[in-house]
Amino acid sequence: MNAHEGLSHKKMSLVNPDLSKERSSVSFPIEEFTYFIFGGPEETKKKRWLISLVDVNKEPVFANKDIYFISRDKYYVRTLEKMKKLIQVKKQYNIDGDDWIFLLLSTGEPMHPILHDVLFIPTLEGQMSREQSEKWLPLAKDYAIFGCYAQTELGHGSNVRRLETIATYIHETDEFDIHSPTLTSTKWWPGGLARTSTHAAVLARLIIDGKDYGVHSFVVQLRGENHKPLPGIDIGDIGPKFGFNNVDNGFLRFTHVRIPRDQMCMKFSKVSRDGKYSTSSNAKVVYGTLVIGRIYMIERASFSLAKALCIAIRYSLVRKQGNDTNDNPNETMVLDYQFLQYRLFNGLSIVYTFIFVGKWMRDLYDVNEKKIREGDVNIMADIHSISSGLKALCTDLTMGVLNDIILACGGHGYSRFSGIPSILDNYAQNPIVEGDNTILHLQTGRYLIKVFENAKNGRPTPSTLSYLKGYSRILSERSRAITWEELTDPNEQIKALTHYHTRLLAKLISNLEETSKTHLQGYEGAKSDYMIDIINVSKAYCYTIIITSANEGLESIKSTYSNIYPILRVLINLFFSNFIIKYSGEFLLDNYFNSNQIKIFEFGIKNCLERIRPDAIGLVDAWEFSDNMLNSALGRYDGNVYEALYNWAKLEPLNLAQERGEYVGYNEVLKDIYDREYLKGINKSKL
């Protein structure tokens, strides 16, 4: 049984006939597509079971329908009620790892345990010694304590090295004194901090005998009996946000809070009883929590975007507008308009391309973790750079499409009942958190400069960029493809993107070398004059990774998923072609592509839209989002959009008050305005 079955409102007789017709015309078995998304038949079976655990027909606590009407404090408590039930389910069925994260996502809204499990626990696992882990991890994994990740401060976020919170070692008592010396050192933004967390992984500057040893991680207890903040801890909520308002993002300020020495995370850096500091070559893994957080965001970008596209595509198959005449009274299904297809199918191409890059990034991370356990940190810088750039590009692209999706749904898309504003609001943090995207692109771009310089001078380069050793050959290449099939051949796609990013990088290096001759601060100072170029180099490199991983990933599953391979090929071709057209000026500039080839891409994009159109509903249904998860009047599986909008509007508290004979605003103000009594006695005067 799949996730669409067994729900009373989804009987075939009640499904909108246009949606039924569309579903019957899909060219591939939707079940196979679901297998691809979820990772195979067995994984699909397990994920359907996980989804059933939060079915609102069995567990009403997970219902989302009324969250558009409740206050922020009630919304927070409602989320805690769901969290409590989820932890019960987790313990009952021993659910862990990716299955646990999937279960949390299946509730359809942000959940506190994600922050605890994705940020707090990995910090403990990655940075604590074995003895420390044996003490703290069982408590965290059993939810006997609940943690947050306190890095960002009021005055500093992405620039971790400039954090101001200090942890001073006190020889006499064998403790650290945690202190916020300035207003700007106040921890600001950690999710789950304001009211939920009992503990925090706090990033602070280690000070021993007046010497600053840089930023390290410390576990600090925040609350004691009856959840009361401990002495010296000023903690609270930062207030309403753009989204995520069921999660208690908070502020935290320390006034000389003492913690035992063994609450510094000491897997790689240590402070002995006599105050001696030691560190290993692996100390840079202190930033590993940032890397895993960014990888999580890369993986989940397709999930969030697929939810919004599911709503928009279903609605666009029900909604009809225009083209009616006296001879033909029937209006056109809006998804049959080419520009709407371009908006939405571009999003679909991103969703499915991102699935491949997410898996590629996770595999690379797993390789790195294995190497770290063996004492090898050689690819740490590489994975940090790649995850930074990909997080920035993936979240930027996702945000752009989410904005397009609201516009694609017309006026109803602006309604909270569409479900899309909530997806957008909750996603909007992603280009900022875990590193501002501009800063991340600059980090990746500067790393690429360094690697290219090494390649030019015959020094070692990371395996992911080893091709730069042949940069002269890459720069001399031009596309000889003539047909659409040749232009979109997987190898041709990879060659085109590799050429593009290598050319931008070589041009940047040349400009830096020339500018540095007269720049007062030399080569490093010249980089400030080329920030835009550095960011563009990072973007180009990340597009190259996306296209490479998508094409290689697709070819690797060609035999396993033969029925859906053709439409996946079309989607990747569309993603690639949109990129080429967007940056066609760059490709024409050095004649890698000529004008005739660009025209072929333009026509090819339109052909891709035509090919995707009959399969659009299958490409979103395959995700098996429940109605509760989407929480959308427009994206209902049964397509009864207008009935749902009307019925949900009737639930508005202002309308319910009117049904009780209470007319909010009338007795308070409107009565006086209509009676005009408030205007009597006013002396008219000329300006």
Side-chain angles (χ1 to χ4, degrees):
M1 185 176 83
N2 67 40
H4 296 317
E5 295 171 344
L7 300 181
S8 59
H9 64 275
K10 292 179 180 175
K11 295 176 183 177
M12 289 304 294
S13 60
L14 299 177
V15 174
N16 180 287
D18 289 322
L19 280 186
S20 294
K21 182 179 179 182
E22 291 287 332
R23 287 176 174 130
S24 67
S25 301
V26 174
S27 69
F28 54 79
I30 296 178
E31 182 90 345
E32 185 173 321
F33 228 109
T34 304
Y35 291 165
F36 163 70
I37 293 167
F38 287 162
E42 289 304 311
E43 277 296 311
T44 299
K45 182 179 179 181
K46 181 166 60 175
K47 284 182 169 59
R48 285 172 175 167
W49 171 71
L50 290 168
I51 292 171
S52 74
L53 297 177
V54 293
D55 183 350
V56 293
N57 293 314
K58 301 174 184 175
E59 298 289 351
V61 70
F62 294 114
N64 293 326
K65 189 174 181 180
D66 65 341
I67 64 173
Y68 299 132
F69 306 113
I70 58 180
S71 62
R72 186 165 171 244
D73 57 341
K74 290 182 179 178
Y75 190 16
Y76 170 70
V77 173
R78 176 72 61 79
T79 303
L80 293 182
E81 291 170 348
K82 294 179 182 181
M83 184 177 85
K84 177 183 174 182
K85 183 62 182 178
L86 285 165
I87 293 172
Q88 289 176 331
V89 170
K90 174 184 171 73
K91 289 179 178 292
Q92 180 180 355
Y93 296 105
N94 194 29
I95 300 170
D96 208 353
D98 290 340
D99 293 337
W100 173 235
I101 298 300
F102 182 82
L103 182 65
L104 296 174
L105 291 171
S106 297
T107 64
E109 59 178 349
M111 297 300 297
H112 293 82
I114 289 183
L115 302 167
H116 176 82
D117 289 307
V118 173
L119 294 176
F120 183 69
I121 288 180
T123 300
L124 305 186
E125 290 175 328
Q127 299 179 34
M128 281 191 155
S129 67
R130 184 176 64 183
E131 295 78 9
Q132 290 175 313
S133 296
E134 288 173 353
K135 173 184 176 180
W136 290 98
L137 279 175
L139 296 172
K141 291 185 175 181
D142 198 45
Y143 298 95
I145 64 173
F146 200 93
C148 63
Y149 183 70
Q151 172 186 303
T152 301
E153 296 176 352
L154 194 55
H156 289 90
S158 299
N159 192 359
V160 178
R161 291 177 297 177
R162 299 294 293 178
L163 295 178
E164 298 178 81
T165 303
I166 56 176
T168 305
Y169 181 61
I170 309 299
H171 289 269
E172 294 76 9
T173 60
D174 195 26
E175 294 176 309
F176 288 108
D177 181 281
I178 311 295
H179 186 59
S180 306
T182 63
L183 176 63
T184 51
S185 68
T186 305
K187 295 297 181 183
W188 199 272
W189 280 112
L193 168 63
R195 294 181 296 278
T196 309
S197 293
T198 61
H199 291 68
V202 176
L203 268 67
R205 313 192 69 79
L206 172 62
I207 309 295
I208 305 175
D209 297 328
K211 183 177 179 179
D212 188 338
Y213 288 90
V215 174
H216 292 69
S217 299
F218 302 82
V219 174
V220 182
Q221 185 174 348
L222 306 176
R223 299 177 182 274
E225 189 175 356
N226 296 323
H227 213 50
K228 183 179 179 181
L230 294 174
I233 290 178
D234 180 17
I235 190 170
D237 196 287
I238 63 170
K241 309 175 294 288
F242 191 87
F244 252 66
N245 281 301
N246 64 327
V247 174
D248 54 321
N249 294 76
F251 65 80
L252 172 62
R253 198 168 185 188
F254 300 102
T255 303
H256 298 294
V257 174
R258 296 289 184 91
I259 63 170
R261 176 172 54 88
D262 65 3
Q263 285 181 216
M264 170 183 164
C265 296
M266 294 197 191
K267 185 173 185 178
F268 301 109
S269 299
K270 297 177 174 61
V271 176
S272 65
R273 175 63 184 89
D274 60 356
K276 292 293 189 291
Y277 175 78
S278 60
T279 187
S280 72
S281 60
N282 297 347
K284 288 184 179 179
V285 300
V286 69
Y287 301 115
T289 303
L290 292 176
V291 171
I292 190 60
R294 289 164 187 166
I295 291 173
Y296 175 82
M297 294 166 75
I298 294 165
E299 291 177 318
R300 298 307 169 196
S302 57
F303 181 86
S304 297
L305 192 50
K307 284 175 66 177
L309 285 165
C310 184
I311 294 168
I313 287 174
R314 285 176 179 173
Y315 176 48
S316 298
L317 291 168
V318 173
R319 180 186 176 204
K320 297 176 181 178
Q321 296 282 324
N323 274 0
D324 53 314
T325 64
N326 290 334
D327 296 329
N328 179 22
N330 297 320
E331 292 186 283
T332 299
M333 187 181 290
V334 296
L335 197 59
D336 287 333
Y337 289 110
Q338 187 185 69
F339 187 71
L340 192 72
Q341 293 175 7
Y342 181 74
R343 268 185 164 156
L344 299 181
F345 298 170
N346 173 46
L348 285 175
S349 75
I350 291 173
V351 164
Y352 286 102
T353 304
F354 280 7
I355 288 178
F356 289 107
V357 76
K359 185 179 185 308
W360 179 86
M361 190 73 246
R362 173 64 67 168
D363 290 344
L364 183 63
Y365 176 79
D366 290 342
V367 169
N368 182 55
E369 286 296 288
K370 182 176 183 294
K371 286 182 175 291
I372 288 174
R373 289 192 295 271
E374 297 168 351
D376 181 357
V377 294
N378 287 331
I379 68 169
M380 187 69 198
D382 198 37
I383 195 170
H384 180 270
S385 169
I386 294 171
S387 65
S388 296
L390 280 177
K391 177 268 180 184
L393 183 59
C394 291
T395 55
D396 276 345
L397 289 175
T398 300
M399 272 299 294
V401 177
L402 287 174
N403 282 311
D404 267 351
I405 289 171
I406 283 189
L407 298 176
C409 291
H412 293 323
Y414 190 68
S415 168
R416 280 280 163 192
F417 297 155
S418 75
I420 300 171
S422 294
I423 297 172
L424 176 61
D425 289 354
N426 290 330
Y427 193 82
Q429 63 163 343
N430 285 274
I432 306 167
V433 300
E434 304 301 321
D436 175 272
N437 282 359
T438 298
I439 303 300
L440 294 182
H441 274 310
L442 287 170
Q443 290 176 356
T444 301
R446 290 188 179 109
Y447 176 75
L448 291 169
I449 291 171
K450 181 180 177 180
V451 172
F452 190 80
E453 289 169 342
N454 288 340
K456 279 181 63 177
N457 294 297
R459 293 191 291 267
T461 58
S463 59
T464 52
L465 287 160
S466 59
Y467 56 83
L468 287 178
K469 295 176 181 177
Y471 71 92
S472 296
R473 172 188 53 78
I474 294 171
L475 294 177
S476 68
E477 291 177 339
R478 299 295 181 270
S479 173
R480 298 181 179 179
I482 299 174
T483 65
W484 165 257
E485 289 73 21
E486 291 174 349
L487 285 167
T488 55
D489 176 83
N491 291 326
E492 288 298 315
Q493 292 188 27
I494 295 169
K495 283 174 61 178
L497 269 292
T498 302
H499 174 89
Y500 172 67
H501 107 76
T502 304
R503 188 177 72 80
L504 290 190
L505 185 52
K507 178 183 175 183
L508 172 60
I509 297 291
S510 176
N511 288 338
L512 286 172
E513 290 174 346
E514 186 64 29
T515 302
S516 66
K517 295 175 182 177
T518 56
H519 200 286
L520 293 176
Q521 295 175 311
Y523 193 79
E524 288 303 312
K527 291 178 182 178
S528 297
D529 295 341
Y530 289 94
M531 291 179 71
I532 296 172
D533 307 78
I534 292 172
I535 290 170
N536 287 337
V537 160
S538 172
K539 290 180 179 179
Y541 174 55
C542 292
Y543 269 114
T544 304
I545 291 175
I546 291 172
I547 283 296
T548 302
S549 61
N551 277 290
E552 291 178 351
L554 178 59
E555 294 309 305
S556 72
I557 64 166
K558 188 173 183 177
S559 59
T560 307
Y561 295 104
S562 58
N563 291 312
I564 64 172
Y565 173 86
I567 190 64
L568 283 171
R569 170 49 57 198
V570 173
L571 288 163
I572 292 174
N573 288 349
L574 178 58
F575 180 91
F576 170 69
S577 301
N578 279 328
F579 173 84
I580 297 299
I581 293 302
K582 183 177 181 179
Y583 295 100
S584 57
E586 291 286 349
F587 285 99
L588 290 168
L589 196 62
D590 73 341
N591 202 36
Y592 185 86
F593 289 128
N594 59 43
S595 58
N596 288 330
Q597 290 168 315
I598 296 299
K599 287 180 182 178
I600 293 173
F601 279 117
E602 290 174 339
F603 284 113
I605 287 173
K606 294 171 184 175
N607 289 333
C608 285
L609 301 181
E610 291 180 7
R611 174 65 184 82
I612 294 167
R613 168 61 187 86
D615 289 333
I617 189 65
L619 292 169
V620 293
D621 275 358
W623 286 81
E624 299 195 352
F625 297 121
S626 69
D627 282 352
N628 187 62
M629 193 186 305
L630 296 177
N631 203 25
S632 169
L634 304 188
R636 293 168 58 92
Y637 183 84
D638 62 15
N640 295 321
V641 169
Y642 302 114
E643 297 89 341
L645 279 171
Y646 181 77
N647 291 333
W648 281 20
K650 298 288 281 186
L651 296 175
E652 162 61 45
L654 294 173
N655 295 330
L656 295 176
Q658 182 169 286
E659 291 179 5
R660 296 192 301 268
E662 302 170 13
Y663 304 98
V664 177
Y666 179 73
N667 288 324
E668 296 89 341
V669 181
L670 287 174
K671 182 178 180 181
D672 290 340
I673 292 176
Y674 298 146
D675 289 347
R676 302 181 64 81
E677 288 291 329
Y678 74 108
L679 295 175
K680 291 181 179 179
I682 294 179
N683 294 320
K684 294 183 179 181
S685 60
K686 295 182 179 180
L687 293 177

